[in-house]
């Protein structure tokens, strides 16, 4: 278990990390492979079909509204970074809340120690 000082230090660290977060976006990116309508296309080869793709799709739900859209090739990497930043934001928030609970516990423990002296 962390003592009061350790908890306070970790909270300050989490706050700094939150401030350093770059652009963010909720959701996840998936790869899609498609079959086209062209006759005799490689995507319909009976022996070794090679589907078209990958196409990258971003899906997310925000404030109850779901959304899906395709990403242009140049948008994939920046969006991956944004999605990773969003995930990190959520982890940092969860950690801060946990530390808040821990801080309360550590403060009570310290007060008890003091009263006991
Ligand atoms: Zn095709």
């Amino acid at each position: 278990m962390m003592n009061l000082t350790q908890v306070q230090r970790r909270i300050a660290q989490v706050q700094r990390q939150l401030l350093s977060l770059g652009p963010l976006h909720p959701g996840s990116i998936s790869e899609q492979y498609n079959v086209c309508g062209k006759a005799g296309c490689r995507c319909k080869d009976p022996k070794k079909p090679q589907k078209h793709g990958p196409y990258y799709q971003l899906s997310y739900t925000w404030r109850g509204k779901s959304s899906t859209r395709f990403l242009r090739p140049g948008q994939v990497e920046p969006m991956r970074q944004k999605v990773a930043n969003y995930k990190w934001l959520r982890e940092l928030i969860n950690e801060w809340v946990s530390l808040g609970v821990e801080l309360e516990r550590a403060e009570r423990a310290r007060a008890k120690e003091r009263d006991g002296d």
Side-chain angles (χ1 to χ4, degrees):
M1 255 183 220
M2 288 188 281
N3 66 32
L4 194 58
T5 310
Q6 287 169 323
V7 177
Q8 284 165 336
R9 263 194 212 131
R10 184 62 196 138
I11 288 174
Q13 207 174 7
V14 167
Q15 288 171 329
R16 278 197 303 275
Q17 286 173 321
L18 279 165
L19 283 176
S20 75
L21 271 178
L24 52 82
H25 200 288
S28 59
I29 297 169
S30 60
E31 281 183 20
Q32 307 285 324
Y33 292 86
N34 292 343
V35 173
C36 73
K38 232 191 299 172
C41 183
R42 64 181 168 93
C43 68
K44 286 184 188 154
D45 188 285
K47 278 180 194 151
K48 204 176 167 240
Q50 289 176 276
K51 291 182 178 180
H52 301 281
Y55 302 104
Y56 294 92
Q57 211 170 28
L58 170 73
S59 303
Y60 66 96
T61 303
W62 183 242
R63 302 213 153 147
K65 205 175 155 239
S66 294
S67 196
T68 297
R69 66 180 175 88
F70 282 103
L71 299 171
R72 288 194 302 273
Q75 296 176 315
V76 177
E77 277 318 307
M79 187 54 79
R80 273 197 214 289
Q81 190 56 55
K82 289 178 193 176
V83 166
N85 282 342
Y86 179 73
K87 211 177 146 206
W88 198 29
L89 169 74
R90 303 302 296 239
E91 283 167 14
L92 288 169
I93 289 171
N94 283 340
E95 186 169 4
W96 194 354
V97 175
S98 295
L99 287 163
V101 172
E102 187 70 9
L103 184 67
E104 195 63 25
R105 186 203 55 76
E107 279 170 348
R108 275 201 314 273
R110 179 174 280 189
K112 212 178 199 177
E113 235 170 66
R114 235 192 348 248
D115 293 347
D117 285 346

